[in-house]
Amino acid sequence: MQTALDKRIEIVKSRFKRVCVFCGSSTGNKDCYRDAAIDLAQELVERKLNLVYGGGSIGLMGLVSQAVHEAGGHVLGVIPRTLMDKEITGETFGEVRAVADMHQRKAEMASQSDCFIALPGGYGTLEELLEVITWAQLGIHDKPVGLLNVDGYYNYLLTFIDKAVDDGFIKPSQRHIFVSAPNCKELVEKLEAYEPVNDGVIAKSKWEVEKKVQNPQKQVVFCPPNTSIPTEIAL
């Protein structure tokens, strides 16, 4: 006979192993942002998901990494060496991997993760979020991307994207490259159920992240169908 605990374990079993979380180096001005970071950490731990994040000890980055680590989850932080003095001001949690620059940081976080979640944040969070959405649009990856729209924080961004679709700059099918939800439980459930958007030839492109022997800079390499010529995008 199946117990309540067995049912709970079955419910939280995930198809992912590692989740990349983009978030601010500030906690914001509302308690709901801090609460969302901690709630997300708890959701990851319940599903036995490892955390990959930007490596800082401050802001929402610090909150989510501390909460996952203290609950027994594995944490990998990836941070450029030049930002260590700025974004690490106290104790760090889990493994911290120093890299050369912002490009290598994003490439490493992407290669280490099975899906992406964006908490509220500023320019950096937006840049990271939109880049992985663009990579999905180009067919560089087919990993799920989720937007945690805490207290309507990203409403204007969602309105902008809908406007871009209406005005012909984004295909209607590509509007569904990412998912969004107001709370972490609903968002993770949407990510679990996500099916990649197959939008023609580009969406079938294959990709891999490799480190050049002569140049340590991370690059994305993908080969469009029906061609053997690889295309490289410096990360």
Side-chain angles (χ1 to χ4, degrees), residues 20-22 51-56 61 65 75-81 83-84 87-88 93-113 128 218:
C20 177
V21 175
F22 303 130
L51 170 67
V52 179
Y53 82 113
M61 284 196 294
S65 62
V75 176
L76 170 62
V78 183
I79 187 169
R81 294 182 182 88
L83 288 182
M84 293 182 74
E87 294 188 355
I88 298 179
F93 302 93
E95 177 187 355
V96 176
R97 186 172 300 174
V99 294
D101 52 37
M102 292 293 289
H103 300 297
Q104 190 175 357
R105 179 197 221 179
K106 290 181 291 184
E108 185 69 17
M109 291 169 69
S111 68
Q112 294 293 327
S113 305
E128 291 167 330
K218 290 280 186 178

Side-chain angles (χ1 to χ4, degrees), residues 9 12 14 16-17 43-50:
I9 292 174
V12 300
S14 175
F16 307 123
K17 292 183 178 179
E43 187 71 20
L44 297 183
V45 171
E46 285 184 1
R47 293 175 180 267
K48 301 186 183 303
L49 298 174
N50 297 334

Side-chain angles (χ1 to χ4, degrees), residues 19-23 40 43-44 49 52 115-119 125 128-129 132 144-148 184 187-188 191:
V19 177
C20 177
V21 175
F22 303 130
C23 54
L40 177 59
E43 187 71 20
L44 297 183
L49 298 174
V52 179
C115 65
F116 307 91
I117 291 177
L119 280 163
T125 301
E128 291 167 330
L129 169 67
V132 293
V145 181
L147 187 63
L148 190 53
C184 62
L187 181 63
V188 174
L191 291 171

Side-chain angles (χ1 to χ4, degrees), residues 162-179:
D162 288 337
K163 175 66 172 175
V165 172
D166 291 342
D167 286 4
F169 291 100
I170 296 175
K171 294 181 180 179
S173 61
Q174 294 174 347
R175 172 62 176 82
H176 305 291
I177 284 177
F178 71 97
V179 297

Side-chain angles (χ1 to χ4, degrees), residues 27-35 60 150-151 153:
T27 56
N29 295 329
K30 295 182 178 180
D31 290 341
C32 61
Y33 302 140
R34 295 184 283 274
D35 293 341
L60 297 185
V150 181
D151 196 34
Y153 181 78

Side-chain angles (χ1 to χ4, degrees), residues 203-222:
K204 297 178 182 177
S205 301
K206 297 180 180 179
W207 73 285
E208 66 177 346
V209 176
E210 67 173 22
K211 179 178 287 189
K212 297 294 186 181
V213 175
Q214 299 299 326
N215 182 358
Q217 183 183 38
K218 290 280 186 178
Q219 297 194 352
V220 164
V221 179
F222 65 103

